[in-house]
Amino acid sequence: MRIVKLFIALVLIVGIFGIVGLYSQIVDLGVVTTFFRNLFFQSDYLFYLYQIILFALLALLLLTFLIIVFKPIGKKAIHIKKDTGQVNVPLHSLESIAKSSLHTITNTDNVQVNITLNKQQLANVEVTVTDHKHHLFTTGKQIEEQVAQALKKMAMVETEKIKVIFKKPKVEADVLTGNKKATRVI
């Protein structure tokens, strides 16, 4: 983090130095204008270094602009239009709806739901289950059907893709065998 702060501070110093230098060439600022004219005539390497830094900043700004323009927009809420107005349903509410619909299939404490929306307001759902007590294939199909029905019924949201991931539950280590950092008594 310190390196990033140092880099930003260096870029700001060079930018301020360059702006003052350019402005002093347009408007006579007395001593400042004389300093920059003498600097330009005495040391050509500073002029070329400053040009290289400006081109690097231009490339960085152009790259930032392209990332901003072409990055897909992720929506944080879905907008349902009604006759009387519009209802905004946030993503965490959709995740709660999907998670609560799975209480008949598996323990909801072992389930994590992540929902993203695309531009057409179709939901991409990722369900992570850390429970291996059931048959994986049938449980996965039940989860897909249940989540799609719950989102359609409760929030009027169509699902584009539902991904179910099964993970092994974490096994807690024994206190005596697995714990290397035991308290030491002197």
Side-chain angles (χ1 to χ4, degrees):
M1 193 66 178
R2 290 182 184 179
I3 295 172
V4 173
K5 287 182 182 179
L6 184 66
F7 178 73
I8 291 172
L10 183 66
V11 167
L12 288 174
I13 289 170
V14 168
I16 291 170
F17 187 75
I19 289 171
V20 169
L22 290 174
Y23 187 70
S24 70
Q25 299 304 312
I26 296 171
V27 176
D28 188 21
L29 298 175
V31 176
V32 176
T33 303
T34 308
F35 170 75
F36 278 102
R37 283 187 184 150
N38 290 340
L39 186 66
F40 177 69
F41 290 125
Q42 290 176 354
S43 53
D44 289 337
Y45 67 92
L46 283 177
F47 180 72
Y48 293 122
L49 177 68
Y50 188 70
Q51 279 184 339
I52 291 170
I53 290 173
L54 282 178
F55 282 127
L57 284 175
L58 177 67
L60 185 67
L61 287 174
L62 182 65
L63 181 67
T64 306
F65 174 74
L66 291 176
I67 288 173
I68 289 171
V69 168
F70 292 113
K71 182 183 176 199
I73 298 172
K75 297 191 179 212
K76 304 255 186 228
I78 191 160
H79 309 290
I80 302 171
K81 297 191 188 244
K82 298 273 188 176
D83 295 335
T84 59
Q86 177 174 317
V87 177
N88 298 329
V89 180
L91 281 181
H92 61 83
S93 296
L94 293 177
E95 290 170 355
S96 297
I97 290 170
K99 189 173 182 178
S100 67
S101 71
L102 300 175
H103 70 85
T104 59
I105 299 171
T106 184
N107 187 4
T108 57
D109 295 337
N110 300 331
V111 175
Q112 290 180 345
V113 179
N114 187 15
I115 296 179
T116 56
L117 297 172
N118 60 12
K119 290 182 181 178
Q120 293 83 18
Q121 291 194 2
L122 296 175
N124 294 323
V125 183
E126 182 177 303
V127 180
T128 306
V129 181
T130 56
D131 190 14
H132 279 296
K133 296 179 182 174
H134 306 288
H135 299 289
L136 298 182
F137 185 72
T138 57
T139 304
K141 286 294 183 187
Q142 287 177 350
I143 288 173
E144 287 179 2
E145 292 170 2
Q146 194 73 19
V147 167
Q149 288 175 1
L151 289 176
K152 177 67 177 169
K153 183 179 177 183
M154 299 295 285
M156 290 180 255
V157 176
E158 294 289 331
T159 55
E160 181 179 25
K161 179 175 68 171
I162 299 175
K163 182 178 180 181
V164 180
I165 302 170
F166 289 98
K167 288 188 175 181
K168 290 183 181 179
K170 292 183 180 179
V171 179
E172 305 231 357
D174 265 353
V175 175
L176 298 175
T177 60
N179 192 359
K180 296 281 184 178
K181 294 184 178 182
T183 58
R184 296 181 184 174
V185 178
I186 297 176

